Amino acid sequence: MKKLINHPENVVREELEGIALAHADLIKVHFDPNFIYRADAPRAGKVAIVSGGGSGHEPMHGGFVGYGMLDAACPGAVFTSPTPDQMLEAAKTVHGGNGVLFIVKNYTGDVMNFEMAADLAMAEGIEVQSVVIDDDVAVENSLYTAGRRGVGTTVLAEKICGAAAEAGYSLSQLAHLCRKVNGWGRSMGMALTSCTVPHVGKPTFDLPEDQMEIGIGIHGEPGRSRLPLKTADEIVEMLMGPILSDLPFKAGDEVLLFVNSMGGTPLIELYIAYRQAHRLAVQHGLKVVRNLIGPYITSLEMAGCSITLLKMDDELTRFWDAPVRTPALRWG
Amino acid sequence: MKKLINHPENVVREELEGIALAHADLIKVHFDPNFIYRADAPRAGKVAIVSGGGSGHEPMHGGFVGYGMLDAACPGAVFTSPTPDQMLEAAKTVHGGNGVLFIVKNYTGDVMNFEMAADLAMAEGIEVQSVVIDDDVAVENSLYTAGRRGVGTTVLAEKICGAAAEAGYSLSQLAHLCRKVNGWGRSMGMALTSCTVPHVGKPTFDLPEDQMEIGIGIHGEPGRSRLPLKTADEIVEMLMGPILSDLPFKAGDEVLLFVNSMGGTPLIELYIAYRQAHRLAVQHGLKVVRNLIGPYITSLEMAGCSITLLKMDDELTRFWDAPVRTPALRWG
């Protein structure tokens, strides 16, 4: 296992120490239980947004904490759900008096623990609503999921809902918006290589030198099919087809096109993939009005990419464009 | 070779097509000769800044074109210098009447071709000054270099000089500032794995599973030593030692600490490295006033990192903080 780490058991703690040192202007880190939260929390009157999930998907979610996005993020161990006590403490820390929205990726452990945390928070008088993201069109059920997995749309939902929260949306308005984003987003991913969980020490799966996995999950869960390696243009077509037909996206729709690196795939390849994805979107009659390209929801050092297409309207575009200041997304 | 590409010979062209589709609000791409330039070029009265180098180091340099940074970037083939005609056409396209600054990484081909382009531009009445970046403390000379290689400080110089150009610095003031940044920046890198140049099809070098290369160049040029794999904390200490002693950085100095991924190293590991680099800087008496963490000057999918330390003063900090709107760096 070739990694820039110290002891495998200390990976998340040391990562959080690094984040705390690096971004003290934006965020603070609470240890035991672990969560990252906005340096200026709680923001009185604003609905707070809390997300979380296993580590190993950086910058998601900790890199999205800050003005215009998340109020707190709860990192579990690598590829392991965070626990209810993390979520409860995070919610209590950032609650500004107007309730808390939990944005939850659809993995059984995440959903169960966020539900438990919501119950505990409500018992302490904090109003909570949860929205589960399940945008992955690859498979109906998977290793860690009943129903579709939550992937790339999560990043977009956190940005858009974060801006809406700054603009004064109520908790029920925010939950409604988050469900709309989830309903309008579709994703699919693929892997060229596996990744290695530090405390496991060997690759999650074996993928021969001439094979790829289409429909991979962000923890290396099996996808739709294992196939001989193809060209970037063919691969992107295999991802875009199921995405385009699922919503379905219709000619004339405005979309945000998000081409994501699984971690080990460099930008030079992402732009080659983006070129084809954009071309196919246009061929389908879509208008690509916004995009995002880079490593935002990763699987450690896995090589591969995922594509997310989000149908946009004026509300979503306005909140996408709104200012954001987090370690990983920053503009305006 | 597992890459998300089509034909190896088309990698750079297709990448540029993707960049053009993705960032039409910020940049335009000129083909044959290839260069990326600001969508609003030329900017009358502003000194134009042009850089360039081999592809495979993305987002450098094309991702740094836009308001507050570069006016144009000339990408060569992967790990291959761009040609004088690219640089000349780029300079002519973005020249706003007040001269052009070439920022050149110290590789023999880059330096030679930028010199030739400067001569050609000056023959056409465009005033040009060139500054060569040579900040890599690892080795005195290397495979492609007489003198030290140019690495991470290039990113910082392009940001700082780009802001100064927006603020109205003259060509000679800009060249002076760029030399100051180069004089105050020191870098060193390391690799856990090799990378594979697409048209070569096999790894640039072999690095056994239990070995690492300290002092690696951004094209996989040999470094100082090949050693058994160590912990992140030990590796960072091996990079920071030579950096700290070279300028030398003194107690009380304000610095920008830049921890860069070589491409395949994920953010979770970079923050572990940042934690130790920050700690060592503080132990040395330095005040870390700014930082940058992520893949900014890469070597395709190589796993590893580099560290750059830049001594800061009010002028550098002001221009670092100034607004920037490029595909890869965007704030303010």
Side-chain angles (χ1 to χ4, degrees):
Chain A
M1 176 174 58
K2 282 193 137 171
K3 288 182 185 289
L4 202 58
I5 62 172
N6 295 301
H7 194 285
E9 298 300 328
N10 299 337
V11 162
V12 172
R13 185 176 187 94
E14 291 179 355
E15 176 204 11
L16 292 175
E17 290 172 359
I19 289 173
L21 287 169
H23 304 297
D25 52 330
L26 298 172
I27 55 96
K28 291 180 183 172
V29 177
H30 186 281
F31 292 94
D32 306 316
N34 294 343
F35 58 93
I36 298 173
Y37 62 106
R38 278 177 63 162
D40 59 355
R43 296 276 314 287
K46 192 184 85 70
V47 177
I49 306 182
V50 175
S51 189
S55 292
H57 306 300
E58 290 75 8
M60 190 180 76
H61 300 271
F64 302 143
V65 176
Y67 176 84
M69 214 161 165
L70 299 178
D71 292 86
C74 307
V78 173
F79 292 181
T80 302
S81 296
T83 51
D85 63 313
Q86 292 176 258
M87 301 156 184
L88 175 64
E89 284 307 311
K92 287 164 70 173
T93 302
V94 299
H95 182 228
N98 271 344
V100 178
L101 177 70
F102 285 168
I103 300 182
V104 185
K105 299 193 304 301
N106 191 32
Y107 298 95
T108 306
D110 291 23
V111 171
M112 197 174 67
N113 290 352
F114 269 109
E115 271 175 15
M116 204 176 299
D119 290 343
L120 294 168
M122 288 191 285
E124 298 202 26
I126 299 175
E127 199 188 352
V128 175
Q129 291 202 34
S130 292
V131 175
V132 174
I133 305 291
D134 58 350
D135 61 316
D136 188 342
V137 304
V139 291
E140 276 311 310
N141 298 288
S142 83
L143 208 51
Y144 308 115
T145 326
R148 288 179 166 183
R149 300 174 298 218
V151 288
T153 299
T154 315
V155 178
L156 311 180
E158 292 179 357
K159 169 66 186 82
I160 289 166
C161 294
E166 299 293 350
Y169 270 39
S170 70
L171 178 56
S172 61
Q173 286 175 315
L174 267 191
H176 182 264
L177 174 63
C178 196
R179 281 186 206 99
K180 171 172 153 179
V181 172
N182 185 48
W184 284 8
R186 296 292 187 277
S187 301
M188 191 157 147
M190 61 80 57
L192 293 170
T193 67
S194 181
C195 57
T196 298
V197 175
H199 61 265
V200 175
K202 61 185 179 55
T204 303
F205 57 95
D206 288 315
L207 197 51
E209 184 56 30
D210 60 343
Q211 302 263 309
M212 61 178 178
E213 177 92 22
I214 295 285
I216 193 87
I218 55 170
H219 314 94
E221 310 94 300
R224 286 192 172 195
S225 50
R226 184 163 292 195
L227 295 171
L229 193 58
K230 293 185 186 292
T231 67
D233 283 358
E234 291 168 314
I235 291 168
V236 169
E237 199 163 351
M238 297 175 75
L239 301 179
M240 285 289 281
I243 290 171
L244 286 167
S245 61
D246 194 89
L247 186 55
F249 292 89
K250 299 185 309 291
D253 282 349
E254 298 199 329
V255 295
L256 184 155
L257 174 55
F258 171 25
V259 175
N260 173 63
S261 166
M262 290 297 197
T265 284
L267 210 44
I268 189 170
E269 297 176 34
L270 286 192
Y271 277 113
I272 292 172
Y274 181 86
R275 162 185 162 276
Q276 170 74 341
H278 187 116
R279 215 154 57 169
L280 294 173
V282 169
Q283 273 176 25
H284 198 79
L286 306 183
K287 190 170 174 206
V288 181
V289 295
R290 295 292 183 276
N291 61 50
L292 184 67
I293 302 160
Y296 292 102
I297 166 171
T298 62
S299 302
L300 298 167
E301 71 284 0
M302 183 188 284
C305 74
S306 67
I307 294 176
T308 298
L309 213 54
L310 174 66
K311 184 167 132 70
M312 300 291 274
D313 64 6
D314 288 350
E315 183 188 33
L316 269 50
T317 303
R318 184 170 78 251
F319 289 134
W320 178 258
D321 288 345
V324 61
R325 287 191 294 278
T326 70
L329 281 185
R330 186 171 155 187
W331 61 66
Chain B
M1 175 175 60
K2 283 192 136 174
K3 287 181 186 289
L4 202 58
I5 63 171
N6 296 301
H7 193 286
E9 297 300 330
N10 299 337
V11 162
V12 172
R13 185 176 188 95
E14 292 178 356
E15 177 204 11
L16 292 175
E17 290 172 1
I19 289 173
L21 287 169
H23 305 296
D25 53 329
L26 298 173
I27 55 97
K28 292 181 181 169
V29 176
H30 187 282
F31 292 94
D32 305 316
N34 294 342
F35 57 93
I36 298 173
Y37 62 106
R38 278 177 63 160
D40 60 353
R43 297 275 315 288
K46 193 185 84 72
V47 177
I49 306 182
V50 175
S51 189
S55 292
H57 306 301
E58 290 75 7
M60 190 180 75
H61 300 271
F64 302 143
V65 176
Y67 176 84
M69 213 160 165
L70 298 179
D71 292 85
C74 306
V78 173
F79 292 179
T80 302
S81 297
T83 51
D85 63 314
Q86 293 176 258
M87 301 156 185
L88 176 64
E89 284 306 311
K92 285 164 70 174
T93 301
V94 300
H95 182 228
N98 270 346
V100 178
L101 177 70
F102 285 168
I103 300 182
V104 185
K105 299 192 303 303
N106 190 34
Y107 299 96
T108 307
D110 290 25
V111 171
M112 197 174 66
N113 290 353
F114 269 109
E115 270 175 15
M116 206 177 300
D119 289 344
L120 294 167
M122 287 192 284
E124 299 201 26
I126 299 175
E127 199 188 351
V128 175
Q129 292 202 33
S130 293
V131 175
V132 174
I133 305 291
D134 58 351
D135 61 316
D136 188 341
V137 303
V139 291
E140 275 312 310
N141 298 287
S142 83
L143 209 50
Y144 308 115
T145 325
R148 288 177 166 185
R149 302 175 297 219
V151 287
T153 299
T154 315
V155 178
L156 311 180
E158 292 179 358
K159 168 66 185 81
I160 288 166
C161 294
E166 298 293 351
Y169 269 40
S170 69
L171 179 56
S172 61
Q173 286 175 314
L174 269 190
H176 182 263
L177 174 63
C178 196
R179 281 187 207 101
K180 172 172 153 179
V181 172
N182 184 50
W184 284 8
R186 296 292 188 277
S187 300
M188 192 157 146
M190 61 80 56
L192 292 169
T193 67
S194 181
C195 57
T196 297
V197 175
H199 61 264
V200 175
K202 60 183 179 58
T204 303
F205 56 95
D206 290 314
L207 197 51
E209 184 56 31
D210 60 344
Q211 302 263 308
M212 61 178 179
E213 178 90 24
I214 295 284
I216 193 87
I218 57 172
H219 313 95
E221 309 95 301
R224 285 193 172 194
S225 50
R226 184 163 290 194
L227 295 171
L229 193 58
K230 293 186 185 289
T231 67
D233 283 358
E234 290 168 315
I235 290 168
V236 169
E237 198 162 353
M238 295 175 76
L239 300 179
M240 285 289 280
I243 290 171
L244 286 167
S245 60
D246 194 90
L247 186 55
F249 292 89
K250 297 185 309 291
D253 283 349
E254 299 199 329
V255 295
L256 185 156
L257 173 55
F258 171 26
V259 175
N260 173 64
S261 166
M262 290 296 197
T265 284
L267 210 44
I268 189 170
E269 297 176 33
L270 285 192
Y271 278 114
I272 293 172
Y274 182 84
R275 162 186 162 276
Q276 171 74 340
H278 188 116
R279 214 155 56 169
L280 294 174
V282 169
Q283 274 176 24
H284 198 78
L286 306 183
K287 190 171 173 204
V288 181
V289 294
R290 295 293 182 275
N291 60 52
L292 183 68
I293 302 161
Y296 292 101
I297 167 171
T298 62
S299 303
L300 298 165
E301 71 283 1
M302 182 187 284
C305 74
S306 66
I307 295 176
T308 297
L309 212 55
L310 175 65
K311 184 168 133 69
M312 300 291 272
D313 63 7
D314 288 349
E315 182 187 35
L316 269 50
T317 302
R318 183 169 81 249
F319 289 134
W320 178 257
D321 288 346
V324 61
R325 287 191 294 278
T326 70
L329 281 185
R330 187 171 154 186
W331 62 66

